[in-house]
């Protein structure tokens, strides 16, 4: 019994054609200077939830007191 499907990559780009439910909460970050694009990315609601979860986790582990037993 295998856990992973080795024919599909573990990490891949997001699909370009999004469903209607994905478009509703879509956030676009676009940083540019003149005509030069520095950063351009689309974030779906799932992406946003993972970013918030990651920031909360980082904050929690950075501020947790370390016990010395």
């Amino acid at each position: 019994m295998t856990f992973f499907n080795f024919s599909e990559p573990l990490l891949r780009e997001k699909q370009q054609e999004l469903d209607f439910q994905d478009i509703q909460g879509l956030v676009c970050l676009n940083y540019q200077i003149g005509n030069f694009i520095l950063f351009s990315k689309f974030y779906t609601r799932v992406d946003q939830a993972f970013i918030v979860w990651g920031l909360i986790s980082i904050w929690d582990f950075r501020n947790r007191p370390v016990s010395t037993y």
Side-chain angles (χ1 to χ4, degrees):
M1 173 186 260
T2 60
F3 186 70
F4 291 109
N5 184 2
F6 292 108
S7 64
E8 293 203 19
L10 291 175
L11 300 175
R12 60 181 170 186
E13 293 285 327
K14 278 191 279 192
Q15 62 184 9
Q16 295 296 324
E17 296 81 24
L18 297 173
D19 296 331
F20 177 73
Q21 63 189 12
D22 294 333
I23 293 174
Q24 286 181 331
L26 197 65
V27 173
C28 175
L29 293 180
N30 191 15
Y31 298 109
Q32 66 183 27
I33 298 175
N35 291 332
F36 183 70
I37 297 174
L38 298 172
F39 181 79
S40 180
K41 198 73 164 174
F42 290 101
Y43 294 102
T44 62
R45 289 183 289 182
V46 175
D47 297 329
Q48 296 167 33
F50 280 123
I51 290 170
V52 170
W53 181 262
L55 293 174
I56 290 171
S57 298
I58 289 170
W59 180 81
D60 184 38
F61 284 110
R62 293 284 293 161
N63 294 322
R64 181 173 296 175
V66 178
S67 62
T68 56
Y69 285 110

